Amino acid sequence: MALRRIVSLLTLPVVLAACPADDGPSEGRLVVGVQAEELAALVGSVRVVARIDDAVATDEIVDVQSPATGARDGLPKEIALEGRPGARVEVSVDAFGGPGGPGGPSGPGGGAAVVSRRAITRLVASQGTEGKKLLRLQLESRCAGLGAVGASGVPVPVTCAAEQTCVSGQCVSPEIAEGELEDYEPGWAGAPPDFCRPKNRGAPELILGQGQTDYAPLADGETLQLEKGPQGGHHIWIAIRMKNLRQSGSRTTLTAKLVDDPASPILPAGYVFSFDRDEGSYCKLYGLRFQLDGGAADLTQDYKRFLGKRLEVTAEVVDTTGGRAAATKTVRIADERLCADGTTTSC
């Protein structure tokens, strides 16, 4: 009896060491996101079937359009899948016509699908929300054949071979590698990947520069010219480069303060301009007219407080997903302002 007790105590540390951590072991996870914004009133219902290792994990019909009200509240649709890491996932999505649209009445039993999409990938190992991936399935008008109309006047969907699926109007392989999946985020439906914010991205970056007609680098301590504007105010030209923030809809804000007189008021400026593509996966925005004497009672005199002074300028970009990045440079304002004709004397 005593011997059994000793053996039990000796084996206890081994048992405790084998216990998993509080976060739990990695599990295979994937979020399937289905969208159909482009198809508008053509879609009445969508059937989503997901299989994990050939076993049906979900078979769901989503009512997209109400026959009574026309309200569209079923998409975008988010479906969470879990299982063995690396398990094979196959998802098929079939969209069927609305009450008055092509493809028959609302519901999978009402006629042929307006458009279909298929994808094959794997469950990705993750812990909690860390490392969770999104499989975005966009039902597109180009695959619904809206540019090709049959003899009856009904759009003819793009037909692909059994081993392919339609993406962007083309028949392609349904296989999607893990590296092609997006990082999952709650606002995925309103933030599709773009050039500036690709699906596999790092942290947001921002570089503060200068330029009226293009982006140019700006170094700390560099001198900027204060220009007289057409309405009497005085401004400097700011440009920025960024990556991993949305190309359109992002808000850019400029703020500044005099280094030797930080309490001296300078109004911030805000812009909502789309970024242009730039080298090295960056995007750029230039020609940001930043008026330093905005709100001044006397535009003919207020500009003088900036001449020859050090100015700290900060740019911040916030996109529609909440992503943000900021950058700051300290520059020197030239001793004389620049006039509209390019001289410093005719003002």
Side-chain angles (χ1 to χ4, degrees):
M1 186 70 173
L3 180 61
R4 288 183 182 178
R5 181 175 179 81
I6 293 173
V7 171
S8 298
L9 291 173
L10 289 174
T11 58
L12 181 59
V14 177
V15 174
L16 292 176
C19 291
D22 292 340
D23 292 338
S26 295
E27 295 184 7
R29 293 185 173 90
L30 185 69
V31 176
V32 178
V34 182
Q35 295 176 281
E37 287 84 351
E38 292 183 7
L39 296 177
L42 288 181
V43 175
S45 62
V46 172
R47 182 179 183 183
V48 183
V49 180
R51 294 178 173 83
I52 300 177
D53 284 339
D54 295 325
V56 175
T58 183
D59 185 345
E60 186 172 350
I61 296 173
V62 181
D63 290 326
V64 179
Q65 190 176 121
S66 167
T69 65
R72 302 175 57 80
D73 57 3
L75 295 181
K77 178 67 176 179
E78 184 175 303
I79 299 173
L81 302 177
E82 295 185 356
R84 174 182 59 84
R88 183 179 186 272
V89 174
E90 181 175 354
V91 182
S92 61
V93 182
D94 295 298
F96 298 87
S106 177
V114 173
V115 63
S116 298
R117 177 73 189 274
R118 180 167 165 258
I120 299 173
T121 188
R122 302 271 174 183
L123 291 181
V124 180
S126 64
Q127 285 189 325
T129 59
E130 295 297 321
K132 190 185 293 187
K133 294 292 184 177
L134 171 72
L135 173 62
R136 185 190 299 266
L137 298 180
Q138 177 76 53
L139 302 178
E140 303 168 292
S141 58
R142 283 175 288 184
C143 293
L146 298 188
V149 180
S152 63
V154 175
V156 180
V158 176
T159 301
C160 297
E163 67 276 9
Q164 293 186 313
T165 190
C166 181
V167 179
S168 299
Q170 303 292 323
C171 291
V172 299
S173 170
E175 297 277 353
I176 299 176
E178 179 179 338
E180 299 179 81
L181 296 170
E182 299 176 42
D183 293 333
Y184 172 79
E185 56 188 6
W188 63 268
D194 59 36
F195 179 85
C196 304
R197 187 177 183 271
K199 57 187 175 183
N200 294 314
R201 58 188 177 273
E205 297 180 32
L206 183 64
I207 303 172
L208 181 59
Q210 61 179 316
Q212 178 181 0
T213 59
D214 202 353
Y215 172 88
L218 179 63
D220 275 318
E222 191 167 343
T223 298
L224 291 183
Q225 197 82 51
L226 186 63
E227 296 187 23
K228 182 180 180 182
Q231 297 180 353
H234 296 79
H235 60 270
I236 55 177
W237 292 105
I238 296 296
I240 55 177
R241 298 179 80 212
M242 68 81 169
K243 64 167 53 176
N244 302 325
L245 294 166
R246 296 202 69 195
Q247 184 171 11
S248 299
S250 294
R251 181 172 180 82
T252 301
T253 303
L254 299 179
T255 56
K257 64 181 179 181
L258 286 166
V259 175
D260 300 320
D261 187 11
S264 185
I266 302 174
L267 295 181
Y271 317 82
V272 186
F273 297 146
S274 294
F275 285 76
D276 294 334
R277 296 186 179 192
D278 201 8
E279 300 174 350
S281 300
Y282 281 90
C283 290
K284 62 184 177 182
L285 189 60
Y286 51 86
L288 300 177
R289 187 196 302 264
F290 186 18
Q291 184 178 347
L292 299 184
D293 56 358
D298 186 356
L299 295 178
T300 64
Q301 298 297 321
D302 189 70
Y303 74 93
K304 295 179 180 179
R305 65 188 171 107
F306 300 102
L307 298 180
K309 301 296 178 59
R310 291 183 301 158
L311 187 72
E312 184 181 279
V313 182
T314 297
E316 183 182 47
V317 177
V318 181
D319 71 12
T320 54
T321 70
R324 65 179 62 221
T328 299
K329 295 285 185 181
T330 299
V331 299
R332 180 183 177 276
I333 301 299
D335 295 327
E336 295 181 288
R337 62 176 172 170
L338 185 67
C339 306
D341 62 358
T343 70
T344 59
T345 58
S346 63
C347 299

